[in-house]
């Protein structure tokens, strides 16, 4: 339960590691997440965020320039590096764990609100931030399967079959992301029979 | 190439059909679509929309209350009733046509900008508006297949396999929605072998 690790001091360029700059960033990010979680993306403006974070609006404008850039930055922090799927020993096990974890994450109302707000104003940069490293996570799982000497589906196919329904259902519908449904997504991907071989 | 049909005049409740109210709504909707298409959802506020539409901001506030409600209304108009898939005679043909048409629609930059902006501030109402009648369109296609005496996939499975990847790819990635890829989505849904029957 220690605070964020502080890098060694005295980096010689005059900035203070773990100092004011990092504190401002943390306060602004927290303010954005609070306003978004309160369910009013309409009122998410830089003056509102600055007031909530206790900093001058000009400080926020200088660093992020627009609400869209700010949201993309918050989403990047939030969605990068947070998914590591342990090696369960099988492709099915890995994908089921991956889908279950992603469903849990996207099923969190605050996370979903951040994704929606970022999509709304963050443009391509925001969209990329919301994907985060999800596809790299899938690629790591598929790479492990290849290392086992197997031939897994392509990344494109896996993203279409597992990643896309999770995001679509979370963002565009009010259907629940149940554990049973996430297993069904994986099962549909891995269990179809070899139709092409029936003609041979 | 006629203008919008004007309903019979004299409805007896004091409003003027095809009159000021309808003109205001059309002007406001057009203003929203223009501002969104210009790529600056950040500046989409009710005063900006009202000025662009040439009406008082109070008129807009009275009718829509928030940018989120306004976007949801515009998206509802835009995405309702615009997809009718002609009966091609087969489930595969119908689904390929459906996926191709949806890819073309979501591939339009102005449409995509409206979807993203609406997701950003429209809440559940906005999300529902962006789905529009897409699922009803799928259900109609599946119903036709059942009427042919066949057993098509469920609506849930079809939405996961065809609808979700189209929305995910359009909204969250910069990958193109190619015609070949839309056919692949349909093919993956319809071509897997009857795995469950192999055990019998």
């Amino acid at each position: 339960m220690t605070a964020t690790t502080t890098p060694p001091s005295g980096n010689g360029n005059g900035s203070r590691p773990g100092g004011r700059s990092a504190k401002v960033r943390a306060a602004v990010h927290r303010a954005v997440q609070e306003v978004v979680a309160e369910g009013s993306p309409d009122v998410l403006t830089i003056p509102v965020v600055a007031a909530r974070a206790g900093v001058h609006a000009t400080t926020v404008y200088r660093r992020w320039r627009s609400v869209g850039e700010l949201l993309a930055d918050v989403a990047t922090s939030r969605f990068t590096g947070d998914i590591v799927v342990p090696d369960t020993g099988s492709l099915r096990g890995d994908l089921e764990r991956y889908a279950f974890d992603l469903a849990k994450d996207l099923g969190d109302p605050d996370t979903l609100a951040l994704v929606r707000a970022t999509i709304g104003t963050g443009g391509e940069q925001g969209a990329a931030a919301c994907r985060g490293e999800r596809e790299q996570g899938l690629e790591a799982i598929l790479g492990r399967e290849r290392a086992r000497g197997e031939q897994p589906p392509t990344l494109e196919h896996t993203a279409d079959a597992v990643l896309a329904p999770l995001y679509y259902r979370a963002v565009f519908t009010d259907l629940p992301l149940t554990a049973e449904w996430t297993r069904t997504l994986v099962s549909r991907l891995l269990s179809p029979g070899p139709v092409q071989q029936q003609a041979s």
Side-chain angles (χ1 to χ4, degrees), chain A:
Chain A
M1 292 303 168
T2 57
T4 311
T5 305
T6 306
S9 62
N11 58 8
N13 64 10
S15 77
R16 289 176 297 161
R20 177 166 160 70
S21 180
K23 280 179 189 155
V24 165
R25 183 164 187 267
V28 169
H29 275 212
R30 196 164 47 238
V32 168
Q33 292 187 285
E34 284 174 7
V35 174
V36 168
E38 285 160 13
S40 306
D42 271 25
V43 305
L44 185 71
T45 63
I46 284 184
V48 164
V49 168
R52 173 83 64 119
V55 302
H56 287 292
T58 47
T59 304
V60 180
Y61 279 116
R62 198 180 312 126
R63 189 147 172 180
W64 288 280
R65 288 187 294 188
S66 70
V67 168
E69 280 196 32
L70 181 49
L71 275 167
D73 191 40
V74 173
T76 299
S77 296
R78 174 69 186 74
F79 299 122
T80 302
D82 65 340
I83 292 225
V84 176
V85 180
D87 188 345
T88 66
S90 76
L91 177 60
R92 183 179 296 262
D94 286 3
L95 287 175
E96 286 183 349
R97 175 65 180 269
Y98 174 94
F100 180 84
D101 287 349
L102 182 52
K104 195 173 161 191
D105 198 23
L106 291 174
D108 175 69
D110 292 354
T111 303
L112 180 57
L114 178 61
V115 168
R116 283 182 170 159
T118 304
I119 283 297
T121 59
E124 293 299 333
Q125 191 192 352
C130 290
R131 288 202 313 282
E133 297 181 342
R134 306 294 190 188
E135 290 182 15
Q136 288 94 315
L138 273 189
E139 184 51 50
I141 289 172
L142 298 173
R144 284 206 291 256
E145 181 70 354
R146 284 191 295 270
R148 291 182 196 111
E150 303 293 336
Q151 293 189 320
T154 63
L155 175 61
E156 179 192 292
H157 188 173
T158 309
D160 289 341
V162 177
L163 198 52
L166 281 159
Y167 272 86
Y168 174 75
R169 187 176 273 208
V171 171
F172 288 95
T173 82
D174 52 6
L175 295 172
L177 282 61
T178 65
E180 184 189 354
W181 175 67
T182 64
R183 283 192 300 272
T184 300
L185 293 176
V186 174
S187 189
R188 287 180 194 145
L189 172 68
L190 300 182
S191 300
V195 172
Q196 294 85 342
Q197 297 178 14
Q198 291 182 344
S200 67

